Amino acid sequence: MLAPEDGSADLIRALNNRLLALSFHIREYYWIDMKKLNEIYRYKTEEYSYDAVNKFNIYPDQISPWLVEWMHNKGGYLIGNLQPAHMDFRFFSLGNLWSIVSSLATMDQSHAILDLIETKWVDLVADMPLKICYPALEGMEWQIITGSDPKNTPWSYHNAGSWPTLLWQLTVACIKMDRPEIAAKAVEIAEKRLSRDKWPEYYDTKRARFIGKQAHLYQTWSIAGYLVAKLLLADPSKARILITEEDSELVNALSCMVSANPRRKRGRKTSTQTYIV
């Protein structure tokens, strides 16, 4: 269906237009860094027009106290969810790493994600790579969102537990951005414990000091995550089969869309083609 021939031309054109719209939407509205956080902090609400800055009517009070203290001047990331008037500010490792590998994030955003991992190393890596998300849901949030799931207690399992299988995905992202030293440091930390701990599925606590309460041992994906990371660091060229480089035509089109965005400075060159965003 996607072979470039006469019968698929309309389909490919429609897919490219959709890809442009989705890429623009995620890069523009899901991205958070100190600059964007300051912008949200000063949002005016109940704006309903084409020129609205606060397009989703987000209330500044939604900014979590932990984020105000945690966000570093260097780095940024793509947030986990964005619904009308609701933002989930947690850092999700898997989505952010694959946004780098797949070129969903821009080059600047990709570097910023790795910058954040470096600056927040103690929180996201600590004694065992890598936190699946940060921070953990606690108190009423844990009770409501996880349904008081005893496996998802704070800093355990999917509630900010640490998963060794994420190691290889961190490695691919670092290799793509020509920053393999970040992954090498994480691998060095992991190999001090993984074999000794019998290759557990996940780790618990903020610093990942304990093997997960319900973690299975000798997990294939924990072993594979470490081995793949080691092999890729030994021969980074092998990562090419996993990496998607951004299409130059999409880059140009996205640049036009950003320039035409009413939230940006007026007077820039705008795209002659209309996109639904």
Side-chain angles (χ1 to χ4, degrees):
M1 291 176 67
L2 296 179
E5 54 190 33
D6 292 341
S8 63
D10 290 341
L11 177 60
I12 292 175
R13 189 180 304 110
L15 286 171
N16 283 336
N17 286 339
R18 185 62 173 165
L19 180 60
L20 275 171
L22 289 172
S23 297
F24 173 83
H25 186 81
I26 291 174
R27 292 176 175 184
E28 185 71 10
Y29 301 119
Y30 281 62
W31 181 252
I32 191 79
D33 55 16
M34 184 58 79
K35 180 180 178 182
K36 183 63 177 290
L37 194 59
N38 269 284
E39 179 184 321
I40 296 172
Y41 185 77
R42 292 174 51 81
Y43 266 171
K44 303 295 187 294
T45 57
E46 313 303 334
E47 292 184 316
Y48 301 103
S49 69
Y50 179 74
D51 292 329
V53 174
N54 188 0
K55 188 178 292 290
F56 299 97
N57 197 35
I58 296 165
Y59 287 85
D61 289 344
Q62 291 179 18
I63 299 177
S64 303
W66 70 265
L67 183 62
V68 174
E69 300 298 328
W70 193 72
M71 179 60 74
H72 198 274
N73 289 329
K74 185 179 181 182
Y77 61 100
L78 293 167
I79 63 174
N81 192 27
L82 179 60
Q83 300 172 359
H86 176 75
M87 302 178 80
D88 187 339
F89 288 108
R90 285 176 293 166
F91 176 85
F92 292 91
S93 298
L94 192 63
N96 275 280
L97 292 177
W98 279 105
S99 73
I100 296 174
V101 177
S102 67
S103 291
L104 176 61
T106 66
M107 290 295 289
D108 288 343
Q109 288 174 342
S110 296
H111 278 296
I113 292 168
L114 295 183
D115 287 342
L116 188 76
I117 292 174
E118 276 196 307
T119 57
K120 294 298 178 180
W121 191 264
V122 173
D123 294 327
L124 301 177
V125 178
D127 292 345
M128 178 56 66
L130 182 66
K131 278 276 183 294
I132 196 167
C133 64
Y134 184 92
L137 295 174
E138 302 186 83
M140 287 299 296
E141 280 189 316
W142 170 72
Q143 293 176 15
I144 294 171
I145 296 177
T146 76
S148 299
D149 184 349
K151 182 179 282 191
N152 275 321
T153 52
W155 311 107
S156 178
Y157 200 54
H158 291 149
N159 190 10
S162 295
W163 293 72
T165 189
L166 295 174
L167 196 59
W168 75 271
Q169 293 160 91
L170 171 66
T171 302
V172 176
C174 291
I175 288 174
K176 179 184 179 182
M177 303 312 296
D178 197 25
R179 298 171 68 173
E181 69 281 357
I182 299 175
K185 183 180 176 182
V187 168
E188 184 179 352
I189 291 172
E191 62 190 1
K192 292 178 181 179
R193 295 181 57 194
L194 270 175
S195 177
R196 185 187 68 195
D197 292 343
K198 301 178 181 178
W199 308 97
E201 183 182 18
Y202 63 93
Y203 286 78
D204 283 357
T205 74
K206 285 185 178 182
R207 291 192 57 90
R209 296 182 62 197
F210 291 86
I211 297 172
K213 286 179 291 187
Q214 300 187 42
H216 297 289
L217 302 180
Y218 297 108
Q219 288 293 285
T220 301
W221 58 355
S222 295
I223 299 170
Y226 168 72
L227 291 177
V228 171
K230 288 285 285 187
L231 290 170
L232 290 177
L233 287 172
D235 186 0
S237 66
K238 300 296 185 183
R240 285 200 299 263
I241 62 172
L242 299 165
I243 291 170
T244 302
E245 298 294 344
E246 191 165 31
D247 188 289
S248 59
E249 293 184 9
L250 293 182
V251 173
N252 293 333
L254 282 167
S255 177
C256 292
M257 292 173 69
V258 170
S259 299
N261 182 16
R263 298 177 61 209
R264 303 286 181 169
K265 184 177 179 181
R266 301 293 182 179
R268 294 182 182 180
K269 181 180 178 181
T270 60
S271 172
T272 57
Q273 184 173 351
T274 300
Y275 299 99
I276 299 175
V277 181

